[in-house]
Amino acid sequence: MRYCKKCTMPDTRPGITFDAEGVCSACRHYEHRKQVDWDARFKEFEALCDKYRGCNGPGGYDCAVAVSGGKDSHFQVWMLKEVMHMNPILFSVEDNFPMTQAGIHNLKNISEEFGCTIISCKPNIKVQKILMRKFFEKYGKPTWYVDRLIYTFPLHMAAKFNTPMLCYGENVSFEYGGNADKETYSAMDQIENGVAVGFPMEELIGDGVTEKDLSLTLAPDAEELKKLDPFYMSYFVPWNSYKNYQIAKAHGFHDLTHEWDRTHHAENFDQIDSRAYLVHSWLKYPKFGHAAATDYTARYIRYGLMTREEAIPIIKERDGKLDPLCVRDFCEFCGYTESEFWAIMDKFYNRDLFEKNEYGEWELKDPIWKQG
């Protein structure tokens, strides 16, 4: 494993690239922001809003936002409703897991604080449990079904409500490094993001799951998609997760202070809605050798909030320690014992990156704290 010379991201992150100086593409893109004319970009954003403003008549919804209730959702709704004076309708997908108190509050708060209607999809729990077990055991992608709906449901709803202007937050591949590493305002291609890329129908059906159960996981047809104009807000404004958090807090957003100190995170305000869902995001660790602590310390370094030297001990202490509450909720939902869970997890450790120590625990062969 090689690590970026500026941040803490390894070259094992899918799609990330390093230049001749050993600096990752995410850091280079962040540096490039200095050359962007953000005033001109904001004028483009104003023009986009004006194009769709009042598209459904006086009082009608004229844009939509795909929301979870998190800090970025708060920021996006604040920007569209309070700054741009649009009339957004919000589309959300539940994950059916026990929610944190902060998560319950935040989804309610985003509606009450900004005066917005939320249309929520509660996925088919029977299908979810079947596919969770199947995709966890086979691919290490337990939340694929929910993740796919997070991408497809807002598209279906935007088509139904005639709100072509559909807002997403950041272009993840461009901001943090990934396969679709292209700066663009259009979010039309994000449905092919590796997190929720489609599977052949024959891979999905069976074991009690029918094609009828999966209709919402299919994207709208080409004709419907042509009518939509999904966009990344990160193209129009300098995206900063921490600043989004500060704006969200000013509008009633709750973090996990006094509720839960997650063992594998370096912050307390990102992906805080439920515990079991975090098993999915932590699976980057056995597969690619990094997880949430690496992700956020890398961002903090780019934002000037932390040095690389300060970040490395945090990664060493936290990155590999999946929180026990996540495991507990996940196992209760899927019907695993915890020993069954860890036996399945064991096969996803990348043997090129990990080896077992004298206690039978997986350890990175070449961690950042040994390289410096």
Side-chain angles (χ1 to χ4, degrees), residues 88-157:
I89 185 169
L90 315 184
F91 304 134
S92 182
V93 176
E94 300 178 31
D95 62 21
N96 288 323
F97 303 133
M99 294 184 73
T100 63
Q101 290 303 307
I104 293 168
H105 165 83
N106 289 334
L107 196 57
K108 177 184 176 185
N109 182 72
I110 202 170
S111 174
E112 187 170 2
E113 174 71 8
F114 301 114
C116 292
T117 296
I118 301 175
I119 295 182
S120 183
C121 170
K122 189 172 182 64
N124 181 325
I125 297 176
K126 176 185 175 183
V127 169
Q128 181 180 348
K129 288 187 175 184
I130 292 168
L131 291 180
M132 271 190 75
R133 291 181 64 104
K134 181 176 182 177
F135 277 61
F136 177 45
E137 294 169 19
K138 191 170 183 179
Y139 301 110
K141 289 189 169 187
T143 59
W144 178 86
Y145 175 61
V146 170
D147 291 329
R148 181 69 179 175
L149 289 171
I150 287 170
Y151 285 89
T152 57
F153 179 71
L155 294 171
H156 284 291
M157 291 298 102

Coordinates of all heavy atoms in Angstrom, one line a residue, residues 88-157:
P88 N -38.6 23.1 -2.7 CA -38.2 21.7 -2.9 C -39.2 20.7 -2.3 O -39.7 21.0 -1.2 CB -36.8 21.6 -2.3 CG -36.9 22.7 -1.2 CD -37.7 23.8 -1.8
I89 N -39.3 19.5 -2.9 CA -39.9 18.4 -2.3 C -38.8 17.4 -2.0 O -37.8 17.3 -2.8 CB -41.0 17.8 -3.2 CG1 -41.7 16.6 -2.4 CG2 -40.5 17.3 -4.5 CD1 -43.0 16.1 -3.1
L90 N -38.8 16.7 -0.9 CA -37.7 15.8 -0.5 C -38.1 14.4 -0.6 O -39.2 14.0 -0.2 CB -37.4 16.1 1.0 CG -37.3 17.6 1.4 CD1 -36.8 17.7 2.8 CD2 -36.4 18.4 0.5
F91 N -37.2 13.6 -1.1 CA -37.4 12.1 -1.3 C -36.3 11.4 -0.4 O -35.1 11.7 -0.5 CB -37.2 11.7 -2.7 CG -38.1 12.5 -3.7 CD1 -37.6 13.0 -4.9 CD2 -39.5 12.6 -3.4 CE1 -38.4 13.6 -5.8 CE2 -40.3 13.3 -4.3 CZ -39.8 13.8 -5.5
S92 N -36.8 10.4 0.4 CA -35.9 9.7 1.3 C -36.2 8.2 1.2 O -37.3 7.8 0.9 CB -36.2 10.2 2.7 OG -35.3 9.6 3.6
V93 N -35.1 7.4 1.5 CA -35.2 6.0 1.5 C -34.8 5.5 2.9 O -33.7 5.8 3.3 CB -34.4 5.3 0.5 CG1 -34.4 3.8 0.6 CG2 -34.8 5.7 -0.9
E94 N -35.7 4.9 3.6 CA -35.4 4.3 5.0 C -34.5 3.1 4.8 O -34.6 2.4 3.7 CB -36.6 4.0 5.7 CG -37.6 5.2 6.0 CD -38.8 4.8 6.7 OE1 -38.8 3.9 7.5 OE2 -39.9 5.4 6.4
D95 N -33.7 2.7 5.8 CA -33.0 1.5 5.7 C -33.5 0.4 6.6 O -33.0 -0.8 6.6 CB -31.5 1.7 6.0 CG -31.2 2.2 7.5 OD1 -32.1 2.0 8.3 OD2 -30.1 2.8 7.7
N96 N -34.6 0.7 7.3 CA -35.4 -0.3 8.2 C -34.6 -0.8 9.4 O -35.0 -1.7 10.1 CB -35.8 -1.6 7.3 CG -36.9 -1.2 6.4 OD1 -37.8 -0.5 6.7 ND2 -36.9 -1.8 5.2
F97 N -33.4 -0.2 9.7 CA -32.7 -0.6 10.9 C -33.1 0.3 12.0 O -33.6 1.4 11.8 CB -31.2 -0.4 10.6 CG -30.6 -1.2 9.5 CD1 -29.8 -0.6 8.5 CD2 -30.9 -2.5 9.3 CE1 -29.3 -1.3 7.5 CE2 -30.4 -3.2 8.2 CZ -29.6 -2.6 7.3
P98 N -32.9 -0.1 13.3 CA -33.1 0.8 14.4 C -32.3 2.1 14.2 O -31.1 2.1 13.9 CB -32.6 0.0 15.6 CG -32.6 -1.4 15.2 CD -32.3 -1.4 13.7
M99 N -33.0 3.2 14.4 CA -32.4 4.5 14.2 C -31.8 5.0 15.5 O -32.3 4.7 16.6 CB -33.4 5.5 13.7 CG -33.9 5.2 12.3 SD -35.0 6.5 11.6 CE -33.8 7.8 11.3
T100 N -30.8 5.9 15.4 CA -30.3 6.6 16.5 C -31.3 7.7 16.9 O -32.1 8.1 16.1 CB -28.9 7.2 16.2 OG1 -29.1 8.2 15.2 CG2 -27.9 6.2 15.8
Q101 N -31.2 8.2 18.1 CA -32.0 9.3 18.5 C -31.7 10.6 17.6 O -32.7 11.3 17.3 CB -31.8 9.7 20.0 CG -32.4 8.6 20.9 CD -33.9 8.4 20.7 OE1 -34.7 9.3 20.7 NE2 -34.2 7.1 20.5
A102 N -30.5 10.8 17.3 CA -30.1 11.9 16.5 C -30.7 11.7 15.1 O -31.3 12.7 14.5 CB -28.6 12.0 16.3
G103 N -30.7 10.5 14.5 CA -31.3 10.2 13.2 C -32.8 10.5 13.2 O -33.3 11.1 12.2
I104 N -33.5 10.1 14.2 CA -34.9 10.3 14.3 C -35.2 11.8 14.3 O -36.1 12.3 13.6 CB -35.5 9.6 15.6 CG1 -35.4 8.1 15.4 CG2 -37.0 10.0 15.8 CD1 -35.7 7.3 16.7
H105 N -34.5 12.5 15.2 CA -34.6 14.0 15.3 C -34.4 14.7 14.0 O -35.1 15.5 13.5 CB -33.7 14.5 16.4 CG -33.6 16.0 16.3 ND1 -34.5 16.9 16.9 CD2 -32.6 16.8 15.7 CE1 -34.1 18.1 16.6 NE2 -33.0 18.1 15.9
N106 N -33.3 14.3 13.3 CA -32.8 15.0 12.2 C -33.8 14.9 11.0 O -34.0 15.9 10.2 CB -31.4 14.6 11.8 CG -30.4 15.0 12.8 OD1 -30.5 16.0 13.5 ND2 -29.3 14.3 12.8
L107 N -34.3 13.8 10.8 CA -35.3 13.6 9.6 C -36.5 14.5 9.9 O -37.0 15.1 9.0 CB -35.6 12.2 9.4 CG -36.3 11.8 8.1 CD1 -35.4 12.2 6.9 CD2 -36.6 10.3 8.0
K108 N -37.0 14.5 11.1 CA -38.1 15.3 11.5 C -37.7 16.8 11.4 O -38.5 17.6 10.8 CB -38.6 15.0 12.9 CG -39.7 15.9 13.4 CD -40.1 15.6 14.8 CE -41.1 16.6 15.3 NZ -41.4 16.4 16.8
N109 N -36.5 17.1 11.8 CA -36.1 18.5 11.9 C -36.0 19.1 10.5 O -36.3 20.3 10.3 CB -34.7 18.6 12.6 CG -34.2 20.0 12.7 OD1 -34.7 20.8 13.5 ND2 -33.2 20.4 11.9
I110 N -35.5 18.4 9.5 CA -35.3 18.9 8.2 C -36.6 19.3 7.5 O -36.7 20.3 6.8 CB -34.5 17.9 7.3 CG1 -33.8 18.7 6.1 CG2 -35.4 16.8 6.7 CD1 -32.8 17.8 5.3
S111 N -37.7 18.6 7.9 CA -39.0 19.0 7.4 C -39.5 20.2 8.2 O -40.0 21.1 7.6 CB -39.9 17.8 7.6 OG -41.3 18.2 7.3
E112 N -39.4 20.2 9.5 CA -40.0 21.2 10.3 C -39.2 22.5 10.2 O -39.8 23.6 10.1 CB -40.0 20.8 11.8 CG -40.7 21.7 12.7 CD -41.0 21.1 14.1 OE1 -40.5 20.0 14.3 OE2 -41.6 21.8 14.9
E113 N -37.9 22.5 10.2 CA -37.0 23.7 10.1 C -37.2 24.4 8.8 O -37.3 25.7 8.8 CB -35.6 23.3 10.3 CG -34.6 24.4 10.1 CD -34.6 25.4 11.3 OE1 -35.2 25.2 12.3 OE2 -33.9 26.4 11.2
F114 N -37.3 23.7 7.7 CA -37.3 24.4 6.4 C -38.7 24.3 5.8 O -38.9 24.9 4.7 CB -36.3 23.7 5.5 CG -34.9 23.8 6.0 CD1 -34.2 22.6 6.3 CD2 -34.3 25.0 6.1 CE1 -32.9 22.7 6.8 CE2 -33.0 25.1 6.6 CZ -32.3 23.9 6.9
G115 N -39.7 23.7 6.4 CA -41.0 23.7 5.9 C -41.2 22.9 4.6 O -41.7 23.4 3.6
C116 N -40.7 21.6 4.6 CA -40.7 20.8 3.4 C -41.4 19.5 3.6 O -41.4 18.9 4.7 CB -39.2 20.5 3.0 SG -38.3 22.0 2.4
T117 N -42.0 19.0 2.6 CA -42.7 17.7 2.6 C -41.6 16.7 2.2 O -40.8 16.8 1.3 CB -43.8 17.7 1.5 OG1 -44.8 18.6 1.9 CG2 -44.4 16.3 1.4
I118 N -41.6 15.5 3.0 CA -40.8 14.4 2.7 C -41.6 13.2 2.2 O -42.6 12.9 2.9 CB -40.0 14.0 3.9 CG1 -39.1 15.1 4.5 CG2 -39.1 12.8 3.6 CD1 -38.4 14.8 5.8
I119 N -41.3 12.7 1.1 CA -41.9 11.4 0.7 C -40.9 10.3 0.9 O -39.8 10.4 0.3 CB -42.4 11.5 -0.8 CG1 -43.5 12.5 -0.9 CG2 -42.8 10.1 -1.3 CD1 -44.0 12.6 -2.3
S120 N -41.2 9.4 1.7 CA -40.2 8.4 2.1 C -40.6 7.0 1.6 O -41.8 6.6 1.6 CB -40.2 8.3 3.7 OG -39.2 7.4 4.1
C121 N -39.6 6.2 1.2 CA -39.7 4.9 0.7 C -39.3 3.9 1.9 O -38.2 4.0 2.3 CB -38.9 4.6 -0.5 SG -38.8 2.9 -1.0
K122 N -40.2 3.1 2.3 CA -39.8 2.0 3.3 C -39.7 0.7 2.5 O -40.7 0.1 2.2 CB -40.9 1.9 4.4 CG -40.4 1.1 5.5 CD -41.4 1.1 6.7 CE -41.0 0.3 7.9 NZ -39.8 0.8 8.5
P123 N -38.4 0.3 2.3 CA -38.3 -0.9 1.4 C -38.9 -2.1 2.0 O -39.1 -2.3 3.2 CB -36.7 -1.0 1.4 CG -36.2 0.3 1.7 CD -37.2 0.9 2.7
N124 N -39.2 -3.1 1.1 CA -39.8 -4.4 1.4 C -38.8 -5.1 2.4 O -37.7 -5.5 2.0 CB -39.9 -5.2 0.1 CG -40.5 -6.5 0.3 OD1 -40.3 -7.2 1.2 ND2 -41.3 -6.9 -0.8
I125 N -39.2 -5.3 3.6 CA -38.3 -5.8 4.6 C -38.0 -7.3 4.3 O -36.8 -7.7 4.5 CB -38.9 -5.7 6.0 CG1 -39.0 -4.2 6.4 CG2 -38.0 -6.3 7.1 CD1 -39.7 -3.9 7.7
K126 N -39.0 -8.0 3.9 CA -38.7 -9.4 3.5 C -37.6 -9.6 2.5 O -36.6 -10.3 2.6 CB -40.0 -10.1 3.0 CG -39.8 -11.6 2.6 CD -41.1 -12.1 2.0 CE -40.8 -13.5 1.4 NZ -42.1 -14.1 0.8
V127 N -37.7 -8.8 1.4 CA -36.8 -8.8 0.3 C -35.4 -8.3 0.8 O -34.3 -8.9 0.5 CB -37.2 -8.0 -0.9 CG1 -36.1 -7.7 -1.9 CG2 -38.4 -8.7 -1.5
Q128 N -35.5 -7.3 1.6 CA -34.2 -6.7 2.1 C -33.4 -7.7 2.9 O -32.2 -7.9 2.8 CB -34.5 -5.5 3.0 CG -33.2 -4.8 3.6 CD -33.5 -3.6 4.4 OE1 -34.7 -3.1 4.5 NE2 -32.6 -3.1 5.2
K129 N -34.1 -8.5 3.8 CA -33.4 -9.5 4.6 C -32.8 -10.6 3.8 O -31.6 -11.0 4.0 CB -34.3 -10.0 5.7 CG -34.6 -9.0 6.8 CD -35.5 -9.7 7.9 CE -35.7 -8.7 9.1 NZ -36.3 -9.3 10.2
I130 N -33.5 -11.0 2.8 CA -33.0 -12.1 1.9 C -31.8 -11.6 1.1 O -30.8 -12.3 1.1 CB -34.1 -12.5 0.9 CG1 -35.3 -13.2 1.7 CG2 -33.5 -13.5 -0.1 CD1 -36.5 -13.5 0.8
L131 N -31.9 -10.4 0.5 CA -30.8 -9.9 -0.3 C -29.6 -9.5 0.6 O -28.5 -9.5 0.2 CB -31.3 -8.7 -1.2 CG -32.2 -9.1 -2.3 CD1 -32.6 -7.9 -3.1 CD2 -31.6 -10.2 -3.2
M132 N -29.9 -9.0 1.8 CA -28.8 -8.6 2.7 C -27.9 -9.8 3.0 O -26.7 -9.8 2.9 CB -29.3 -8.0 4.0 CG -29.5 -6.5 4.0 SD -29.9 -5.9 5.6 CE -28.2 -5.9 6.3
R133 N -28.5 -10.9 3.3 CA -27.7 -12.1 3.6 C -27.0 -12.6 2.4 O -25.8 -12.9 2.4 CB -28.7 -13.2 4.2 CG -29.2 -12.9 5.6 CD -30.1 -14.1 6.1 NE -29.3 -15.3 6.2 CZ -28.9 -15.8 7.4 NH1 -29.2 -15.2 8.5 NH2 -28.2 -16.9 7.5
K134 N -27.7 -12.7 1.3 CA -27.1 -13.2 0.0 C -25.9 -12.3 -0.4 O -24.9 -12.8 -0.7 CB -28.2 -13.2 -1.0 CG -27.7 -13.7 -2.4 CD -28.9 -13.7 -3.4 CE -28.6 -14.3 -4.7 NZ -29.7 -14.4 -5.6
F135 N -26.1 -11.0 -0.4 CA -25.1 -10.1 -0.9 C -23.9 -9.9 0.1 O -22.8 -9.6 -0.3 CB -25.7 -8.8 -1.4 CG -26.3 -8.8 -2.7 CD1 -27.3 -9.7 -3.0 CD2 -25.8 -8.0 -3.7 CE1 -27.8 -9.8 -4.3 CE2 -26.3 -8.1 -5.0 CZ -27.3 -9.0 -5.3
F136 N -24.2 -10.0 1.4 CA -23.2 -10.0 2.4 C -22.3 -11.2 2.2 O -21.1 -11.1 2.2 CB -23.8 -9.9 3.8 CG -22.8 -10.0 4.9 CD1 -21.6 -9.2 4.9 CD2 -23.0 -10.8 6.0 CE1 -20.7 -9.2 5.9 CE2 -22.1 -10.8 7.1 CZ -20.9 -10.1 7.0
E137 N -22.9 -12.4 2.2 CA -22.1 -13.6 2.1 C -21.4 -13.8 0.8 O -20.3 -14.3 0.8 CB -23.1 -14.8 2.4 CG -23.6 -14.8 3.8 CD -24.8 -15.8 4.0 OE1 -24.9 -16.7 3.1 OE2 -25.6 -15.7 4.9
K138 N -21.9 -13.3 -0.3 CA -21.3 -13.5 -1.6 C -20.4 -12.4 -2.0 O -19.3 -12.7 -2.6 CB -22.4 -13.7 -2.7 CG -21.9 -14.2 -4.0 CD -23.1 -14.6 -4.9 CE -22.6 -15.2 -6.2 NZ -23.7 -15.6 -7.1
Y139 N -20.8 -11.1 -1.7 CA -20.0 -10.0 -2.3 C -19.5 -9.1 -1.2 O -18.7 -8.2 -1.5 CB -20.9 -9.2 -3.2 CG -21.4 -9.9 -4.4 CD1 -22.7 -10.3 -4.5 CD2 -20.5 -10.4 -5.4 CE1 -23.2 -10.9 -5.6 CE2 -21.0 -11.1 -6.5 CZ -22.4 -11.3 -6.6 OH -22.8 -12.0 -7.7
G140 N -19.9 -9.2 0.0 CA -19.6 -8.2 1.1 C -20.2 -6.9 0.8 O -19.7 -5.8 1.1
K141 N -21.5 -7.0 0.2 CA -22.3 -5.7 -0.1 C -23.6 -5.9 0.6 O -24.6 -6.0 -0.2 CB -22.4 -5.5 -1.6 CG -21.1 -5.1 -2.2 CD -21.4 -4.7 -3.7 CE -20.2 -4.0 -4.3 NZ -20.5 -3.4 -5.6
P142 N -23.7 -5.9 1.9 CA -25.0 -6.2 2.5 C -26.1 -5.2 2.3 O -27.3 -5.6 2.3 CB -24.6 -6.3 4.0 CG -23.4 -5.4 4.1 CD -22.7 -5.6 2.9
T143 N -25.8 -4.0 2.0 CA -26.9 -3.0 1.9 C -27.2 -2.6 0.4 O -27.8 -1.6 0.2 CB -26.6 -1.7 2.7 OG1 -25.3 -1.2 2.2 CG2 -26.4 -2.0 4.2
W144 N -26.8 -3.5 -0.5 CA -27.0 -3.2 -1.9 C -28.4 -2.8 -2.2 O -28.6 -1.8 -2.9 CB -26.5 -4.4 -2.8 CG -26.8 -4.0 -4.2 CD1 -25.9 -3.4 -5.1 CD2 -28.0 -4.3 -5.0 NE1 -26.5 -3.2 -6.3 CE2 -27.8 -3.8 -6.3 CE3 -29.2 -4.9 -4.7 CZ2 -28.8 -3.8 -7.3 CZ3 -30.2 -5.0 -5.7 CH2 -29.9 -4.4 -7.0
Y145 N -29.4 -3.6 -1.7 CA -30.8 -3.3 -2.0 C -31.2 -1.9 -1.6 O -31.8 -1.1 -2.4 CB -31.6 -4.4 -1.3 CG -33.1 -4.2 -1.5 CD1 -33.8 -4.2 -2.7 CD2 -33.9 -4.1 -0.3 CE1 -35.1 -4.1 -2.8 CE2 -35.3 -3.9 -0.4 CZ -35.9 -3.9 -1.6 OH -37.3 -3.8 -1.7
V146 N -30.9 -1.5 -0.4 CA -31.2 -0.2 0.1 C -30.4 0.9 -0.7 O -31.0 1.9 -1.1 CB -30.9 0.0 1.6 CG1 -31.0 1.4 2.1 CG2 -31.9 -0.9 2.4
D147 N -29.1 0.6 -0.9 CA -28.3 1.6 -1.7 C -28.8 1.8 -3.1 O -28.8 3.0 -3.6 CB -26.8 1.1 -1.7 CG -26.2 1.2 -0.4 OD1 -26.5 2.0 0.5 OD2 -25.3 0.3 -0.1
R148 N -29.2 0.7 -3.7 CA -29.8 0.9 -5.1 C -31.0 1.7 -5.1 O -31.2 2.6 -5.9 CB -30.1 -0.5 -5.6 CG -30.6 -0.5 -7.0 CD -29.6 -0.1 -8.1 NE -30.1 -0.1 -9.4 CZ -29.5 0.3 -10.5 NH1 -28.2 0.7 -10.4 NH2 -30.0 0.2 -11.7
L149 N -31.9 1.5 -4.1 CA -33.1 2.4 -4.0 C -32.8 3.8 -3.7 O -33.5 4.7 -4.2 CB -34.0 1.8 -2.9 CG -34.7 0.5 -3.2 CD1 -35.4 -0.1 -2.0 CD2 -35.7 0.6 -4.4
I150 N -31.7 4.1 -2.9 CA -31.3 5.4 -2.7 C -31.0 6.2 -4.0 O -31.2 7.4 -4.1 CB -30.1 5.5 -1.7 CG1 -30.6 5.1 -0.3 CG2 -29.4 6.8 -1.7 CD1 -29.4 4.8 0.7
Y151 N -30.5 5.4 -5.0 CA -30.2 6.0 -6.3 C -31.4 6.1 -7.2 O -31.6 7.0 -7.9 CB -29.0 5.3 -6.9 CG -27.7 5.5 -6.3 CD1 -27.2 4.8 -5.3 CD2 -26.9 6.6 -6.8 CE1 -26.0 5.1 -4.7 CE2 -25.7 6.8 -6.3 CZ -25.2 6.1 -5.2 OH -24.0 6.4 -4.7
T152 N -32.2 5.0 -7.2 CA -33.3 4.9 -8.1 C -34.6 5.6 -7.7 O -35.3 6.2 -8.5 CB -33.7 3.5 -8.5 OG1 -34.0 2.8 -7.3 CG2 -32.5 2.8 -9.1
F153 N -35.0 5.5 -6.4 CA -36.2 6.1 -5.9 C -36.4 7.6 -6.2 O -37.4 8.0 -6.7 CB -36.4 5.8 -4.4 CG -37.7 6.3 -3.8 CD1 -38.9 5.7 -4.1 CD2 -37.6 7.4 -2.9 CE1 -40.1 6.2 -3.6 CE2 -38.8 7.9 -2.4 CZ -40.0 7.3 -2.7
P154 N -35.4 8.4 -5.9 CA -35.5 9.8 -6.2 C -35.7 10.1 -7.7 O -36.5 11.0 -8.1 CB -34.2 10.4 -5.7 CG -33.7 9.5 -4.7 CD -34.1 8.1 -5.2
L155 N -35.1 9.3 -8.6 CA -35.4 9.5 -10.0 C -36.8 9.2 -10.4 O -37.4 9.9 -11.1 CB -34.4 8.5 -10.8 CG -32.9 8.8 -10.7 CD1 -32.1 7.7 -11.3 CD2 -32.6 10.2 -11.3
H156 N -37.3 8.1 -9.8 CA -38.8 7.7 -10.1 C -39.7 8.8 -9.6 O -40.6 9.2 -10.3 CB -39.1 6.4 -9.4 CG -38.6 5.2 -10.1 ND1 -39.1 4.8 -11.4 CD2 -37.6 4.3 -9.8 CE1 -38.5 3.7 -11.8 NE2 -37.6 3.4 -10.8
M157 N -39.4 9.3 -8.4 CA -40.3 10.3 -7.8 C -40.2 11.7 -8.5 O -41.2 12.4 -8.7 CB -39.9 10.5 -6.3 CG -40.3 9.3 -5.4 SD -42.1 9.0 -5.4 CE -42.1 7.6 -6.5

